[in-house]
């Protein structure tokens, strides 16, 4: 018999097997005996000074505990089976290909970027020399943006599909089974490349194909059906089933669809800055003076405020992380954040962003109104930071007080930072809301509003 027992205990008790067995034995009445147990769900409750781990223990009585991962069967794609062409080898494209193999279909993926190994060279040039390869960067290439930017696996959208299956597939391909347990699972940038490689090898082993440095450049339609696609401005191929899994930064694809009469609509997104504190400070604030140790992980936070009718919120918070350059063309700058699996870097960063809607602009009917605004901000930041991959930065307290920063405590952003007032970067409807939100966040997290915090601009690729 398998039974589940809710539990709340200290972080030290949560890793003490003797304590847990004693706790279970007091909860279970059975003559068969406890064979084994494991955590099914686990989260940290740090709302009070006495930090608790709460969750559910899965207990096996009189039998062995079952595997946490279901069996996945990928059917070889034989020659005469249906072909599904997939544009993009990010998460959507790779998981679409795996689903095709479960159904006995042959996936053929075209990816504009390079494989995970080759991407590293282009990322090194971007970080060290400020040179952007527009087809191979933090956004484009095998595994998509997540490969080298953190791999957080948390969503509130539980109704959109089988979330557990996605997590189990990642474990199947090499991720730690801890992601099946933790409330906010995280793989880590250092671990995902091997997992992505294993997924690619499985797709190829079962008869699927992946073509790197192969970019969708045009298409032909017959009525409402796409019949042919052009690759690298030269080769045309016929398609019967086409999946576009191109991600939020493939602006050329949106423009291509628009030119070919496919309806495009602007959608709301969010834009702001990425803030960096020391991880020690965030730990002290969130853990009521306690620093993270072997029993509690580096602390994170989630903040939200309504300012003048718009949401301002934290996004992609990275404990023990760094700020990375995520431009997809040379004359723009973009920030993002990531953490290694141990989250053991000395700094914590997070996007702090303001909701942006088409109705915020006079030409709200233009499907590219938000996209053009995003481009404008990224280009302005490039210009203000000296036409390089350096980014505008300002001490948080200087931003609150509307003064230019004359020095900085540090920044993990490798290409470098340039002192720029954020009021020169953003229009008033963004900067004034950011300022008010930071003051609000300082009240919710005393110590957050500090001279030691640095904001970097822009955080602009939160979504499509």
């Amino acid at each position: 018999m398998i039974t589940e027992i809710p539990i709340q205990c200290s972080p030290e008790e949560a890793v003490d097997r003797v304590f847990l067995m004693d706790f279970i034995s007091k909860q279970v009445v059975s003559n068969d005996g406890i064979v084994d147990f494991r955590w099914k769900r686990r989260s940290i409750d740090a709302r009070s000074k006495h930090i608790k781990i709460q969750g559910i223990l899965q207990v096996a009585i009189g039998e062995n505990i079952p595997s946490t991962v279901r069996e996945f069967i990928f059917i070889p794609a034989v020659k005469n089976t249906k072909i599904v062409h997939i544009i993009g080898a990010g998460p959507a494209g790779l998981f679409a290909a795996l689903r095709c193999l479960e159904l006995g279909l042959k996936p053929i993926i075209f990816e504009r970027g390079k494989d995970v190994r080759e991407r590293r060279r282009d990322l090194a040039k971007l970080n060290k020399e400020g040179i952007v390869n527009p087809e191979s960067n933090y956004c484009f290439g095998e595994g998509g943006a997540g490969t080298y930017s953190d791999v957080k696996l948390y969503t509130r959208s539980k109704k959109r599909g089988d979330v557990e299956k996605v997590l189990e597939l990642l474990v199947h391909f090499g991720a730690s089974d801890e992601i099946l347990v933790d409330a906010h699972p995280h793989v880590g940038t250092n671990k995902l490349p091997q997992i992505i490689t294993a997924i690619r090898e499985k797709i190829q082993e079962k008869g699927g194909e992946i073509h790197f440095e192969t970019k969708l450049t045009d298409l032909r339609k017959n009525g409402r059906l796409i019949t042919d696609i052009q690759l690298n401005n030269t080769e045309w191929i016929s398609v019967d089933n086409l999946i576009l899994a191109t991600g939020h930064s493939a602006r050329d694809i949106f423009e291509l669809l628009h030119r070919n009469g496919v309806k495009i609509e602007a959608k709301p997104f969010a834009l702001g800055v990425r803030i960096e504190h020391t991880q020690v400070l965030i730990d002290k604030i969130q853990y009521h003076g306690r620093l993270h140790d072997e029993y509690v992980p580096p602390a994170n936070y989630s903040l939200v405020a309504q300012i003048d009718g718009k949401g301002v919120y934290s996004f992609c918070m990275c404990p023990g992380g760094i700020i990375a350059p995520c431009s997809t063309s040379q004359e723009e700058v973009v920030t993002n954040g990531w953490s290694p699996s141990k989250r053991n870097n000395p700094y914590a960063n997070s996007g702090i962003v303001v909701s942006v809607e088409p109705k915020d602009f006079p030409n709200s009917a233009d499907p590219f109104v938000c996209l053009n605004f995003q481009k404008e901000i990224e280009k302005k930041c490039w210009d203000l930071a000296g036409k390089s991959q350096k980014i505008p930065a300002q001490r948080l307290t200087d931003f609150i007080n509307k003064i230019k920063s004359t020095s900085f405590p540090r920044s993990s952003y490798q290409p470098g930072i340039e002192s720029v007032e954020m009021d020169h970067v953003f229009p008033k409807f963004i900067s004034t809301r950011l300022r008010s939100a930071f003051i609000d966040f300082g009240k919710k997290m005393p110590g957050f509003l500090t001279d030691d915090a640095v904001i970097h601009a822009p955080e602009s690729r939160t979504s499509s």
Side-chain angles (χ1 to χ4, degrees), residues 189-201:
T189 301
N190 55 316
K191 291 189 173 182
L192 193 67
Q194 301 95 293
I195 296 168
I196 295 298
T197 299
I199 293 174
R200 180 223 308 157
E201 289 172 349

Side-chain angles (χ1 to χ4, degrees), residues 271-274 323-324 326-327 332-336 353 374 377-382 390-392 422 425-426 456-461:
L271 182 141
V273 297
R274 187 155 282 268
I323 299 176
C326 290
S327 307
E332 66 185 24
V333 289
V334 179
T335 68
N336 195 1
V353 293
Q374 184 189 58
I377 295 296
E378 293 171 0
K379 176 63 164 61
K380 183 189 288 187
C381 288
W382 156 270
K390 288 185 176 181
I391 51 174
M422 294 300 158
V425 171
F426 300 110
H456 306 66
E459 173 74 36
S460 53
R461 305 283 178 94

